[in-house]
Amino acid sequence: MTAAPGARRILVDADACPVKDEIYKVAWRLSVPVTIVSNAWLRVPQHPLVTRVVVDAGFDAADDWIAEAAGPGALVVTADILLADRCLKAGADVLAPTGKPFTTASIGGAIATRAIMADLRAGGDQLGGPAPFSAKDRSTFLQALDTLLTRRR
């Protein structure tokens, strides 16, 4: 089952998404279709609201598919800042797996920070990675997802 562009739905950048189970729970409770998009086959629940899309292994193939499907009514779940920017420009809401919303007001700063960090890493600086995903992140995500979807009803 695939929702028409503009319909209320959740698009998930799924290859490294740590909150897929939480997305399913909230989506089922609120009857919102979910599309899981990945470069490799992922196990998804057998449920009429869940659709799996496996794209080819090309660079940014999943991002391209999601950006093309995003638009008003879509909620995109991704940690990818550049994908978030593309989806916001298409009119979608975007939520990071930590529960932090990407907005048109915040995306410019996020892109700038990403570029600075990439430059530092390219210069040989050892910066470490993001903090480990925590139970608090999971809880914050659940609350943010529920709030966004409930607000749209």
Side-chain angles (χ1 to χ4, degrees):
M1 167 180 179
T2 302
R8 187 172 81 119
R9 67 200 184 287
I10 302 170
L11 302 171
V12 183
D13 184 7
D15 285 312
C17 181
V19 290
K20 290 186 284 289
D21 288 339
E22 289 77 6
I23 293 167
Y24 302 140
K25 289 176 190 174
V26 173
W28 294 338
R29 183 171 47 81
L30 299 174
S31 298
V32 178
V34 176
T35 303
I36 300 296
V37 184
S38 63
N39 292 101
W41 187 90
L42 296 175
R43 185 179 200 157
V44 300
Q46 294 292 325
H47 192 281
L49 289 173
V50 178
T51 303
R52 173 184 27 236
V53 173
V54 180
V55 297
D56 65 40
F59 185 72
D60 282 342
D63 292 359
D64 291 343
W65 193 98
I66 292 168
E68 288 177 22
L75 170 59
V76 176
V77 178
T78 185
D80 184 318
I81 294 167
L82 297 181
L83 174 59
D85 182 47
R86 292 171 68 187
C87 293
L88 286 169
K89 288 176 180 170
D93 289 319
V94 184
L95 189 62
T98 57
K100 177 185 172 195
F102 289 104
T103 66
T104 55
S106 69
I107 196 69
I111 291 170
T113 300
R114 178 188 180 280
I116 290 168
M117 299 303 281
D119 286 347
L120 289 172
R121 281 190 298 274
D125 290 328
Q126 299 294 321
L127 304 172
F133 196 77
S134 69
K136 183 178 186 297
D137 292 329
R138 196 172 302 281
S139 176
T140 301
F141 175 79
L142 268 170
Q143 183 176 3
L145 179 64
D146 190 72
T147 299
L148 273 171
L149 292 175
T150 301
R151 184 181 70 208
R152 293 169 154 210
R153 290 179 98 177

